[in-house]
Amino acid sequence: MDHSEVILQRLVADKKRTLHKGDRLFGQGDQVENLYLLRQGMVKLIRHSIDGNDIVLQTAAPNDIIAEASLFADAYHCSAIVQSQSAELSCFDRKNLHTALKDNPDTLMEIVELFAHRMRKLRALLEIKSIRSAKQRMYSYFQLEADANNELKLQLSYKEMAYQLGLAHETFYRNLKCLEDEGKLIRKTSSIQLI
């Protein structure tokens, strides 16, 4: 069980929602009502820029918290669109969550620690994206996402990982094969084992 899920399970979800591919969880500029825990599926967070381009901020996977930055905002700063066939979410009313965190300092500290961990991980991802070599960028990303046994559980598709790393999916597949041929990793059905 993911650490974010453990923390939020102590708090009672106000409701649960099931959405389908293409459904919008919330839109950029909508009034903030909830913080979400994604239970199943994939949700893409997209910021619509002034010049009309969409910027993908995150592809959320199961056990990811969605809209944590909105905990102290009046409006959502991006849109959340379901990418998988369906998505199941636990919804935490922002006002109720504020009250619960004020009443439970231990949980509040755990949430702060969780957000700090996520910020460090995001900064590491930004650093990885600056690596010029696609192969090295990918391997560094795999190392960042791997568990203590050097195994990366595949929560995102290869195409979504490529996008997250700023690579064309053809480049990603080609370099994945190179890393495998060089003996640096083993591809499994639902994971990548780093050697």
Side-chain angles (χ1 to χ4, degrees):
M1 187 177 297
D2 187 86
H3 190 57
S4 58
E5 188 175 5
V6 170
I7 293 168
L8 289 178
Q9 275 188 349
R10 286 192 216 129
L11 305 170
V12 177
D14 296 287
K15 60 183 174 179
K16 298 192 184 311
R17 286 186 70 184
T18 300
L19 300 172
H20 302 285
K21 187 170 185 152
D23 286 349
R24 190 174 85 158
L25 179 60
F26 55 79
Q28 184 172 327
D30 288 354
Q31 183 177 347
V32 173
E33 295 177 1
N34 297 302
L35 181 99
Y36 300 91
L37 177 64
L38 183 59
R39 298 285 185 184
Q40 182 182 330
M42 305 291 280
V43 174
K44 204 168 270 189
L45 301 180
I46 301 168
R47 179 167 293 150
H48 311 291
S49 65
I50 295 170
D51 62 5
N53 293 320
D54 288 341
I55 302 162
V56 177
L57 302 177
Q58 178 188 3
T59 301
N63 299 323
D64 277 343
I65 297 172
I66 298 175
E68 70 269 26
S70 301
L71 189 57
F72 299 102
D74 293 326
Y76 292 111
H77 296 151
C78 61
S79 296
I81 312 293
V82 175
Q83 296 299 301
S84 52
Q85 290 302 329
S86 66
E88 293 180 17
L89 303 110
S90 292
C91 309
F92 298 86
D93 180 86
R94 184 176 75 147
K95 291 176 185 171
N96 293 346
L97 191 53
H98 281 190
T99 302
L101 292 175
K102 285 177 188 172
D103 292 345
N104 190 336
D106 291 339
T107 301
L108 174 61
M109 289 306 295
E110 287 182 278
I111 291 274
V112 169
E113 183 182 348
L114 174 67
F115 288 175
H117 171 75
R118 288 176 57 118
M119 188 180 301
R120 283 191 304 272
K121 197 169 181 180
L122 178 60
R123 287 180 177 157
L125 180 59
L126 290 173
E127 185 178 328
I128 287 168
K129 286 178 77 170
S130 71
I131 298 171
R132 286 172 106 47
S133 162
K135 186 166 55 171
Q136 186 57 49
R137 188 184 309 176
M138 289 169 58
Y139 195 73
S140 296
Y141 172 76
F142 296 155
Q143 288 176 314
L144 175 68
E145 295 293 328
D147 62 19
N149 298 319
N150 286 329
E151 187 171 14
L152 167 67
K153 305 279 192 247
L154 297 177
Q155 293 186 325
L156 301 176
S157 70
Y158 288 146
K159 193 171 185 176
E160 289 166 332
M161 280 191 265
Y163 191 85
Q164 196 165 44
L165 290 170
L167 299 170
H169 64 275
E170 298 88 356
T171 303
F172 185 91
Y173 286 114
R174 186 172 54 250
N175 283 285
L176 185 63
K177 174 100 170 80
C178 285
L179 287 166
E180 190 173 34
D181 291 346
E182 291 171 7
K184 293 188 175 179
L185 59 83
I186 298 170
R187 280 193 274 180
K188 300 178 180 178
T189 305
S190 60
S191 67
I192 296 173
Q193 180 67 55
L194 304 180
I195 308 298

